[in-house]
Amino acid sequence: MSISNYIDHTLLKSSATKTDIKTLCEEAKKYRFYSVCVNSFYVALAKHLLHRSNVKVCATIGFPLGAMSTEAKAFEAAKAIEDGADEIDMVINIGMLRSKNYVSVYKDIYDVKLAIGKTPLKVILEISELSKNEIIKACQICLDAKADFIKTSTGFSKSGATLTAVKMIRKTVKDKAKIKASGGIKDLETAMKYIDAGANRIGTSSGINIVTDKKSKVTNNDY
């Protein structure tokens, strides 16, 4: 599989304009990325721009803090699906997890999954804010709540993905969920290390740099 098929081409800045989203979608079609990842406001526009292409639209929910009500997250997710989203990336309630209020964390994820049905759900843990034990516990809750992916980071916290965390997540979830590594992945060599560590998807705003890396001519067919 080509490295481009692993990439969620991402633009989540609050200052992103319609022109920026148009450029994002044009790039995604040109380089055949798996998806574009946008804030939920821009889902309908991205879906329109990607009409007749194979590029999917991924919407972020409760982004980037995850601290809004479960009802708000579920509503936002359902609206994103109505607007054409093919996948949902939601932020976990980090405060509730660290407070050991695991029932609330489970309900937060499960209610979003319930709202979107069979649409793939990625749950963002924000690993830079969590201890090893909290990451493992979060993964276990995600599995119980029927999440499809565990995602490492929003890219808006103090740090992003780490190979150690991806390996830990893979060891915890085994083959019961997929992994999206996101945050700070900017070149082909790094992306390949995350895939080797167990990542099924790479979230990055540097997708073009990754796929146009000179090394990709040699290694693309391996991924």
Side-chain angles (χ1 to χ4, degrees):
M1 184 187 293
S2 170
I3 189 69
S4 61
N5 297 127
Y6 281 85
I7 292 175
D8 287 349
H9 193 39
T10 304
L11 179 58
L12 298 170
K13 294 180 179 179
S14 60
S15 58
T17 65
K18 291 177 66 175
T19 300
D20 295 331
I21 299 300
K22 182 178 180 181
T23 299
L24 184 82
C25 292
E26 289 174 346
E27 292 169 345
K29 288 189 287 186
K30 177 179 179 180
Y31 293 99
R32 299 182 180 180
F33 294 132
Y34 186 88
S35 79
V36 296
C37 189
V38 297
N39 286 301
S40 61
F41 177 82
Y42 280 124
V43 168
L45 175 61
K47 193 69 174 181
H48 171 73
L49 293 168
L50 293 168
H51 181 58
R52 296 182 180 176
S53 82
N54 292 323
V55 181
K56 298 185 183 300
V57 178
C58 173
T60 57
I61 300 301
F63 194 87
L65 302 178
M68 55 290 298
S69 70
T70 295
E71 291 80 5
K73 287 181 181 177
F75 180 87
E76 184 182 13
K79 182 62 168 64
I81 298 301
E82 180 183 327
D83 287 346
D86 300 293
E87 296 184 338
I88 296 295
D89 286 22
M90 70 167 285
V91 185
I92 201 169
N93 192 315
I94 302 165
M96 288 300 96
L97 178 68
R98 298 195 66 197
S99 299
K100 296 183 170 55
N101 190 339
Y102 302 136
V103 173
S104 291
V105 177
Y106 168 84
K107 187 176 186 301
D108 198 49
I109 300 167
Y110 182 78
D111 282 7
V112 171
K113 182 60 178 174
L114 197 63
I116 66 175
K118 296 181 179 180
T119 302
L121 174 63
K122 308 190 199 83
V123 179
I124 307 172
L125 303 189
E126 201 68 286
I127 59 169
S128 64
E129 303 296 329
L130 304 176
S131 68
K132 176 181 176 180
N133 288 339
E134 287 168 340
I135 291 171
I136 292 171
K137 184 62 179 180
C139 289
Q140 293 168 342
I141 295 171
C142 286
L143 292 180
D144 289 342
K146 309 301 181 185
D148 301 281
F149 278 77
I150 313 296
K151 180 177 172 181
T152 59
S153 322
T154 62
F156 283 74
S157 189
K158 53 193 172 186
S159 63
T162 68
L163 289 169
T164 299
V166 168
K167 291 174 182 177
M168 185 194 316
I169 293 168
R170 176 53 66 206
K171 183 177 180 180
T172 303
V173 304
K174 298 181 172 57
D175 61 350
K176 297 178 182 177
K178 297 180 180 180
I179 299 172
K180 177 175 175 179
S182 183
I185 303 172
K186 298 181 178 180
D187 57 72
L188 178 65
E189 182 180 0
T190 303
M192 288 171 59
K193 286 179 180 179
Y194 277 100
I195 292 169
D196 287 339
N200 305 93
R201 198 81 60 80
I202 301 294
T204 180
S205 58
S206 301
I208 296 173
N209 291 340
I210 292 171
V211 300
T212 57
D213 190 310
K214 291 180 181 179
K215 297 176 185 177
S216 67
K217 294 179 182 179
V218 178
T219 59
N220 253 358
N221 291 335
D222 296 332
Y223 290 91

